[in-house]
Amino acid sequence: MGTRKPHILMVGGWDEALEKAARVETRLTLFQNKDLLTTLQSRLAGRVVTTNFRECGEALLLAEAIHRADPFDGVVSFTEFGLETAAAIQKALGIKGNPPAPVRLTRDKVAMREHLNAAGLDPLAFKRCGSFEEAKIFLADCAGPIICKPGHGSGSEGVSIVRTEDDLRSAWMLASKALAQDEPVICEEYIDGPEYSVESLSLGGEHSIVAITEKMTTHDGHFIELG
């Protein structure tokens, strides 16, 4: 009998991630939204489950059922919207993967600001705004421009720089459109300068910097990444 290959659950993802996973000695189960599933993904994954992986409860029930018959060794997600689902599965099944607490911080911009400020790592003025009036007060209190954005999200969706109250009205509408129910808008002081992305790998409590890359973004005040 041969050595058992590790069984990995991938929550969401794209063709490139599946191609890389297929090059290592693993068995792969893929949870993917029906409208995102490609022919290549179906061919590369040993098992494909079409489900809305952003519905954490449903995905967790499916993972538990498969785990009983064919245990998973680990769970990963390479899409931001699958991170919390993957973390919930990691905790419930007790397998390798990113745990819920740090993942939740990366997805909740208000909680991350509170965490960084409390640790003194990134003291930045910000406010969780439940109304336009609260955002207007924060703008008046700041000496310079502010950033207005949804408390959750990705890809700079709903992000705007605000210099005047007129700017704030349009920024508030843009951020609000990107919000899910009961999510806040966050306003924070604006820091000018080049933007860098620091890529890291964390393993066993140790963090290694893999790459530092400068970002190119749009110059329309919304900072959408171009490359």
Side-chain angles (χ1 to χ4, degrees):
M1 294 180 64
T3 303
R4 176 183 177 275
K5 294 181 180 179
H7 185 195
I8 305 301
L9 170 59
M10 183 181 294
V11 180
W14 56 94
D15 286 3
E16 183 182 9
L18 270 291
E19 287 177 318
K20 290 180 178 179
R23 291 200 292 267
V24 297
E25 291 296 312
T26 61
R27 294 184 299 116
L28 187 65
T29 292
L30 173 67
F31 282 9
Q32 184 64 288
N33 287 8
K34 185 177 181 180
D35 58 341
L36 298 178
L37 183 64
T38 67
T39 301
L40 180 64
Q41 292 172 17
S42 296
R43 179 170 61 82
L44 293 177
R47 178 189 291 112
V48 176
V49 178
T50 54
T51 180
N52 180 5
F53 58 77
R54 296 178 68 171
E55 291 293 334
C56 185
E58 178 180 323
L60 180 55
L61 289 173
L62 290 168
E64 288 173 334
I66 295 171
H67 185 67
R68 285 193 293 270
D70 186 10
F72 294 114
D73 296 286
V75 56
V76 296
S77 181
F78 297 106
T79 172
E80 289 189 66
F81 297 111
L83 291 174
E84 289 184 283
T85 295
I89 292 171
Q90 181 277 330
K91 181 179 180 180
L93 302 185
I95 58 178
K96 292 181 179 180
N98 292 319
V103 169
R104 195 173 299 115
L105 283 176
T106 68
R107 302 298 302 140
D108 186 332
K109 295 179 174 65
V110 175
M112 179 62 85
R113 276 282 161 233
E114 292 172 344
H115 182 74
L116 292 173
N117 283 11
L121 296 175
D122 189 12
L124 189 73
F126 76 97
K127 185 175 182 61
R128 181 188 191 281
C129 298
S131 69
F132 176 78
E133 291 301 316
E134 288 182 321
K136 188 165 68 173
I137 293 171
F138 180 80
L139 175 62
D141 289 341
C142 284
I146 67 171
I147 293 292
C148 179
K149 60 187 179 182
H152 296 76
S154 64
S156 296
E157 183 181 11
V159 175
S160 303
I161 188 170
V162 173
R163 293 183 172 86
T164 67
E165 188 175 324
D166 286 341
D167 290 343
L168 183 59
R169 292 186 185 279
S170 57
W172 182 267
M173 291 179 62
L174 185 65
S176 298
K177 286 180 181 178
L179 292 175
Q181 189 175 8
D182 298 326
E183 290 182 351
V185 169
I186 179 174
C187 292
E188 58 189 24
E189 62 177 308
Y190 170 66
I191 299 178
D192 193 14
E195 182 178 353
Y196 290 87
S197 174
V198 180
E199 313 297 338
S200 64
L201 176 67
S202 299
L203 184 64
E206 295 186 2
H207 314 293
S208 302
I209 303 301
V210 178
I212 300 176
T213 56
E214 185 174 0
K215 287 187 177 183
M216 294 178 288
T217 63
T218 57
H219 298 285
D220 57 358
H222 300 296
F223 307 101
I224 298 171
E225 185 177 341
L226 300 175

